[in-house]
């Protein structure tokens, strides 16, 4: 075997296929109603806060942060100081910190693909992609087209629905008033159930939930997302080492 053959990792057999992208679109279609409702709520909230239509659309297209965008609207103000900007950055970074753990959980899959392809699809990476990818990988799937297709479909729907929400104005600017804030948690709960792997996963799940609840009661803001996730991950790691 030559030196080049030893240094170059084997290329994946199916880096990305059209069939995989279509499969991703089908898998994510069940989440579309919740995504649309949340995007409409964000667009309406942005309109109520005084953002222009262009600013709102650009935020959804290029920031594309889902829940973090709604959180940002809650903290939005007509006049900004450097302290307020820093505070908003910390809060949104905290909300999005879960993506670090989600990406790490799928890294063994991602690592087999070119960095350019990973950089592209990770821009569209969301909670929904992670749930879909985790289930798909657990079933033996390896075609990254599933994540690319799901991500592109979600992004497109999010941007379009944001525009519709902006046009509706303040009609659904308060998601909790209509129970909209419960839509995504219900979808995520339904998607997570098939990931259950028996009693072995009980302890990390329970620890993560309890720590997150306690943190939410004791600490203002969204620190419970990071603390709960880390508690569950560390617990799971120690249990794996002890096995």
């Amino acid at each position: 075997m030559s030196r080049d053959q030893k240094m170059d990792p084997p290329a994946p057999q199916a880096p990305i296929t059209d069939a995989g992208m279509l499969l991703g679109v089908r898998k994510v279609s069940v989440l579309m109603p919740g995504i649309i409702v949340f995007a409409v709520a964000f667009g309406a909230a942005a309109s109520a806060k005084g953002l222009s239509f262009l600013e709102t659309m650009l935020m959804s297209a290029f920031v594309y942060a889902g829940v973090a965008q709604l959180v940002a609207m809650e903290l939005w103000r007509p006049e900004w100081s450097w302290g307020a900007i820093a505070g908003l950055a910390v809060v949104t970074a905290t909300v999005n910190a879960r993506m670090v753990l989600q990406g790490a959980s799928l890294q063994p899959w991602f690592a087999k693909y070119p960095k350019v392809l990973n950089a592209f699809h990770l821009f569209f990476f969301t909670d929904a992609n992670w749930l879909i990818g985790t289930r798909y990988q657990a079933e033996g799937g390896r075609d990254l087209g599933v994540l690319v297709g799901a991500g592109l479909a979600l992004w497109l729907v999010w941007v379009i629905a944001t525009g519709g929400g902006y046009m509706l104005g303040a009609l659904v600017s308060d998601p909790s008033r209509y129970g909209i804030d419960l839509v995504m948690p219900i979808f995520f709960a339904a998607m997570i159930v098939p990931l259950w792997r028996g009693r072995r996963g009980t302890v990390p799940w329970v620890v993560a939930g309890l720590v997150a609840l306690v943190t939410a009661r004791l600490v203002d803001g969204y620190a419970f997302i990071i603390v709960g996730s880390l508690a569950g991950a560390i617990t799971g790691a120690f249990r794996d080492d002890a096995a």
Side-chain angles (χ1 to χ4, degrees):
M1 183 178 291
S2 67
R3 182 179 178 182
D4 291 339
Q5 288 175 318
K6 291 181 180 179
M7 294 180 62
D8 294 335
Q13 295 181 353
I16 178 173
T17 67
D18 293 338
M21 294 182 66
L22 290 174
L23 178 60
V25 173
R26 290 199 300 271
K27 285 181 174 291
V28 82
S29 62
V30 69
L31 291 173
M32 289 304 184
I35 295 296
I36 291 172
V37 168
F38 255 69
V40 167
F42 166 72
S47 175
K49 288 289 185 176
L51 273 70
S52 69
F53 180 78
L54 179 60
E55 289 170 338
T56 303
M57 296 301 288
L58 288 176
M59 186 175 184
S60 275
F62 293 104
V63 176
Y64 187 48
V67 175
Q69 289 180 228
L70 287 171
V71 172
M73 286 301 100
E74 291 181 10
L75 303 177
W76 203 265
R77 57 189 66 188
E79 297 183 1
W80 290 92
S81 64
W82 286 110
I85 294 174
L88 178 61
V90 170
V91 171
T92 52
T94 301
V95 172
N96 287 323
R98 69 194 186 282
M99 306 301 294
V100 176
L101 295 176
Q102 291 176 355
S105 69
L106 294 176
Q107 192 275 341
W109 180 18
F110 296 164
K112 300 176 182 179
Y113 295 87
K115 292 181 179 179
V116 173
L117 180 57
N118 277 324
F120 173 76
H121 87 80
L122 284 173
F123 173 80
F124 303 99
F125 192 68
T126 64
D127 298 284
N129 294 58
W130 176 76
L131 288 167
I132 290 169
T134 300
R135 292 181 59 182
Y136 174 70
Q137 187 190 32
E139 294 168 356
R142 294 294 179 269
D143 189 341
L144 203 63
V146 170
L147 288 185
V148 176
L152 286 172
L154 283 171
W155 177 82
L156 183 61
V157 169
W158 177 266
V159 173
I160 293 174
T162 292
Y166 189 92
M167 297 299 182
L168 289 175
L171 182 61
V172 289
S173 58
D174 181 10
S176 61
R177 179 180 178 184
Y178 302 96
I180 294 174
D181 55 328
L182 296 177
V183 173
M184 289 306 287
I186 291 173
F187 273 115
F188 289 151
M191 291 289 287
I192 287 174
V193 169
L195 299 178
W196 179 253
R197 292 294 180 268
R199 290 184 297 175
R200 181 175 179 77
T202 301
V203 175
W205 284 35
V206 171
V207 168
L210 290 177
V211 171
L213 287 173
V214 172
T215 303
R217 297 281 293 182
L218 298 178
V219 181
D220 291 334
Y222 299 86
F224 68 91
I225 296 174
I226 297 178
V227 177
S229 298
L230 288 176
I234 293 173
T235 302
F238 275 108
R239 285 179 62 83
D240 287 341
D241 289 340

